[in-house]
């Protein structure tokens, strides 16, 4: 299918879809994160009871493998200096006093690990978030890059919706979908209310399939997740959801089973409503703790790396209960 047809399809599908363009001004680059006011920060902090801390970043350079979007390569780490560089004939620099040190570097896709998308990361019809021209992405994100999100930070009340446990499964398989009604049902079963301006964290444990059989995972690549409908998009708008956080690579069902298009919600939610997307989180320890103590609401704080003009950036979100 040609690019022109794809754009036309999204145009037709989302023609009447709600938009938050201009809601926070013509220069806005953080979108629905504006919903996270000081009041939301204080409300989130008030949920701290035990002082238990959970970090949600997946390990970069995991010996078991790094799950990435098809076509991206996992990060590679290279040692630059180690003790062997001070062996006889080595290249280790000399410092007064005899100091030796270790140094290394990585080469990585900025969206090849747990990360925040820039709001301008995806688009159709030549316009990114807030109506900025897609030509502003050429050579780097002049508008709606990840840096404004990183400068601002993301802090507030968050809730975990454990969809795998809700469906009584170890993990959700390829192509499995759910919608806002399922999210509400899951919340009810967990004894929690989805409030306006909540940061929503969704667990599928789908990446367990990657760690069990990487070849099969990519051979039939179509992740599970939320599926587009006008009602779901309106629910996100009415709930004023600032941030969608998941443990999958792309936060939604990869290919929509109803219309055959890829990553529809990246456009309906992120491009049009300004909902921040956080992907590839490790939710297993947090989910086990929530299942044990029955508490699915908590304080959430995150800030992606401050990288100028970037389409996304790694992050290690922190949850405190």
């Amino acid at each position: 299918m040609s690019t022109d047809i794809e754009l036309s399809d999204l145009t037709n599908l989302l023609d009447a879809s709600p938009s938050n363009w201009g809601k926070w001004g013509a220069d806005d680059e953080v979108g629905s994160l504006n919903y996270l006011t000081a009041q939301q920060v204080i409300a989130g902090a008030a949920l701290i009871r035990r002082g238990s801390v959970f970090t949600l970043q997946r390990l970069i350079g995991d010996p078991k493998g790094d799950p990435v979007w098809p076509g991206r390569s996992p990060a590679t780490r290279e040692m630059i200096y180690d003790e062997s560089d001070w062996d006889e004939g080595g290249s280790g620099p000399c410092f007064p006093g005899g100091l030796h040190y270790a140094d290394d570097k990585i080469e990585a896709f900025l969206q090849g690990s747990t990360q925040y998308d820039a709001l301008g990361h995806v688009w159709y019809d030549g316009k990114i978030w807030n109506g900025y021209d897609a030509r502003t992405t050429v050579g780097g994100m002049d508008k709606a890059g990840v840096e404004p999100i990183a400068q601002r930070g993301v802090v507030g009340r968050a809730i975990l919706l454990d969809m795998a446990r809700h469906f009584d499964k170890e993990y959700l398989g390829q192509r499995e979908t759910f919608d806002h009604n399922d999210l509400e049902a899951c919340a009810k079963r967990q004894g929690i209310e989805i409030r306006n301006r909540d940061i929503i964290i969704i667990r599928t444990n789908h990446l367990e399939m990657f760690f069990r059989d990487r070849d099969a995972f990519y051979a039939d690549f179509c992740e599970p997740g939320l599926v587009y409908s006008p009602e779901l998009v309106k629910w996100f708008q009415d709930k004023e959801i600032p941030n969608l956080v998941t443990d999958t690579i792309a936060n939604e069902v990869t290919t929509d089973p109803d219309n055959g298009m890829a990553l529809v919600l990246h456009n309906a939610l992120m491009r049009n409503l300004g909902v921040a997307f956080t992907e590839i989180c490790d939710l297993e320890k947090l989910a086990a703790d929530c299942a044990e103590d029955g508490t699915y609401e908590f304080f959430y704080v995150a800030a992606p790396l401050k990288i100028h003009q970037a389409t996304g950036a790694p992050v290690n979100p922190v949850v405190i209960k």
Side-chain angles (χ1 to χ4, degrees), residues 197-214:
R197 306 192 175 190
D198 276 347
I199 297 164
I200 292 184
I201 303 176
I202 295 176
R203 174 183 177 263
T204 67
N205 196 28
H206 175 66
L207 291 183
E208 178 66 20
M209 294 185 66
F210 168 86
F211 292 109
R212 291 189 180 188
D213 190 338
R214 191 180 317 179

Side-chain angles (χ1 to χ4, degrees), residues 5 60 178 221 232 245-246 278:
I5 294 175
I60 295 175
F178 47 88
F221 185 79
L232 179 138
V245 181
T246 76
T278 313

Side-chain angles (χ1 to χ4, degrees), residues 82-83 85-87 93-95 97-102:
D82 56 39
E83 178 61 17
D85 289 290
W86 283 270
D87 292 344
C94 295
F95 289 92
L99 167 74
H100 294 183
Y101 68 99

Side-chain angles (χ1 to χ4, degrees), residues 21 46 69 71 75 77 87 100-101 114 149 169 181 223 236 238 256 274 291:
W21 291 8
W69 181 260
R77 189 187 61 83
D87 292 344
H100 294 183
Y101 68 99
T114 307
I149 295 175
K169 295 185 176 184
N181 296 309
E223 292 188 295
F236 267 82
D238 291 346
D256 191 305

Side-chain angles (χ1 to χ4, degrees), residues 33-217:
L33 293 180
N34 284 291
Y35 290 134
L36 294 177
T37 64
Q39 182 180 1
Q40 303 306 120
V41 175
I42 293 169
L47 296 173
I48 299 174
R49 296 288 186 269
R50 292 160 31 202
S52 297
V53 176
F54 301 86
T55 59
L56 307 186
Q57 181 195 341
R58 285 198 173 272
L59 182 65
I60 295 175
D62 191 329
K64 297 178 292 184
D66 292 359
V68 294
W69 181 260
R72 292 178 183 155
S73 54
T76 57
R77 189 187 61 83
E78 178 186 354
M79 288 300 293
I80 304 302
Y81 288 115
D82 56 39
E83 178 61 17
S84 68
D85 289 290
W86 283 270
D87 292 344
E88 184 176 353
S91 60
C94 295
F95 289 92
L99 167 74
H100 294 183
Y101 68 99
D103 204 4
D104 53 5
K105 67 178 181 179
I106 65 170
E107 180 176 342
F109 277 87
L110 293 179
Q111 299 190 28
S113 60
T114 307
Q115 50 87 25
Y116 269 81
D117 281 349
L119 291 188
H121 170 51
V122 297
W123 63 88
Y124 61 95
D125 279 1
K127 298 290 184 181
I128 63 174
W129 158 251
N130 215 24
Y132 295 119
D133 194 315
R135 300 297 300 177
T136 60
T137 68
V138 176
M141 305 292 292
D142 288 337
K143 296 290 186 180
V146 79
E147 182 186 350
I149 295 175
Q151 296 284 1
R152 185 191 190 285
V154 184
V155 183
R157 176 185 188 257
I159 62 170
L160 174 69
L161 298 175
D162 193 337
M163 300 307 294
R165 280 186 170 88
H166 176 64
F167 290 125
D168 299 317
K169 295 185 176 184
E170 181 184 358
Y171 56 84
L172 298 189
Q174 289 147 327
R175 295 181 174 79
E176 293 192 58
T177 63
F178 47 88
D179 63 12
H180 57 295
N181 296 309
D182 295 307
L183 299 184
E184 292 280 10
C186 177
K188 183 177 181 180
R189 181 175 179 181
Q190 293 175 176
I192 193 171
E193 176 189 2
I194 304 176
R195 300 176 185 168
N196 278 27
R197 306 192 175 190
D198 276 347
I199 297 164
I200 292 184
I201 303 176
I202 295 176
R203 174 183 177 263
T204 67
N205 196 28
H206 175 66
L207 291 183
E208 178 66 20
M209 294 185 66
F210 168 86
F211 292 109
R212 291 189 180 188
D213 190 338
R214 191 180 317 179
D215 291 338
F217 178 82

